[in-house]
């Protein structure tokens, strides 16, 4: 983001960097892009889109540790909400549901599960079904993200 912001000083073109911190924020900002909108309004819409997104990232612990009161064993699934580690379990569904429980679901409506390249679509759909069972008001989608290091990246907005 810092490097991208420097481009503005190198050109006479009207440039604004949308400072996304996660893939779901980037996707949400792109969905908010409408070419017929004025530049100023477009930037405003894209920045507002970022603020509505919560990002869950599920990966695997590479070593055993204790972090912020959380006991983590090597090989467990660990979950981050907006970049902060909150959950660890042998079950990825537990991690996902633990993270979603930390979000005010009354202010969100869509959950998109991007599954990584080592995950089977059926496993991703199982997570989607479990989200729907616990939070029937949320609409869920499952998308092949193909990401190599995160088993799941989940957008909640």
């Amino acid at each position: 983001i810092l490097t991208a912001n420097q481009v503005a000083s190198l050109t006479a073109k009207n440039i604004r960097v949308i400072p996304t911190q996660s893939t779901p924020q980037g996707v949400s900002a792109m969905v908010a892009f409408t070419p017929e909108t004025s530049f100023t309004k477009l930037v405003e819409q894209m920045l507002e889109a970022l603020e509505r997104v919560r990002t869950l990232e599920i990966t695997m612990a590479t070593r055993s540790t204790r972090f912020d009161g959380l006991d983590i064993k090597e090989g467990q699934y660990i979950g981050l909400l907006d970049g902060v580690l909150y959950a660890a379990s042998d079950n990825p569904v537990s991690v996902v549901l633990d993270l979603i429980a930390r979000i005010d679901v009354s202010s969100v409506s869509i959950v998109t599960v991007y599954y990584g390249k080592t995950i089977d679509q059926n496993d991703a759909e199982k997570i989607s079904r479990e989200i729907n069972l616990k939070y029937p008001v949320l609409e869920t989608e499952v998308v092949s993200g193909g990401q190599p290091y995160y088993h799941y990246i989940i957008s909640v907005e």
Side-chain angles (χ1 to χ4, degrees):
I1 294 171
L2 293 173
T3 302
N5 280 327
Q6 292 178 9
V7 171
S9 66
L10 302 175
T11 183
K13 294 182 180 184
N14 196 6
I15 294 175
R16 179 72 188 270
V17 174
I18 307 299
T20 62
Q21 300 293 320
S22 68
T23 300
Q25 282 186 335
V27 170
S28 187
M30 290 305 299
V31 169
F33 180 85
T34 50
E36 62 277 353
T37 305
S38 74
F39 183 78
T40 303
K41 182 68 176 166
L42 181 59
V43 169
E44 181 181 307
Q45 286 175 194
M46 293 174 84
L47 290 172
E48 286 173 2
L50 299 187
E51 293 173 13
R52 292 188 299 265
V53 178
R54 304 296 305 270
T55 302
L56 286 64
E57 297 165 306
I58 314 303
T59 190
M60 188 103 16
T62 57
R63 62 185 170 93
S64 296
T65 189
R66 183 167 174 81
F67 179 80
D68 206 17
L70 189 62
D71 287 318
I72 303 167
K73 295 179 188 85
E74 181 179 347
Q76 280 190 314
Y77 292 95
I78 56 174
L80 296 92
L81 173 60
D82 296 328
V84 178
L85 179 63
Y86 282 110
S89 174
D90 294 327
N91 182 341
V93 174
S94 297
V95 173
V96 170
L97 294 178
D98 183 344
L99 295 177
I100 292 176
R102 297 172 184 278
I103 298 171
D104 177 9
V105 294
S106 68
S107 63
V108 298
S109 60
I110 300 171
V111 175
T112 305
V113 177
Y114 298 93
Y115 61 95
K117 75 177 189 179
T118 62
I119 300 299
D120 181 80
Q121 181 176 351
N122 292 329
D123 291 336
E125 288 174 355
K126 178 182 177 191
I127 285 183
S128 175
R129 284 191 303 275
E130 293 295 328
I131 293 168
N132 283 135
L133 284 173
K134 183 141 181 160
Y135 303 99
V137 298
L138 297 178
E139 178 185 332
T140 61
E141 294 180 69
V142 175
V143 177
S144 174
Q147 63 271 10
Y149 303 113
Y150 288 92
H151 292 72
Y152 300 96
I153 297 176
I154 301 175
S155 172
V156 180
E157 52 188 307

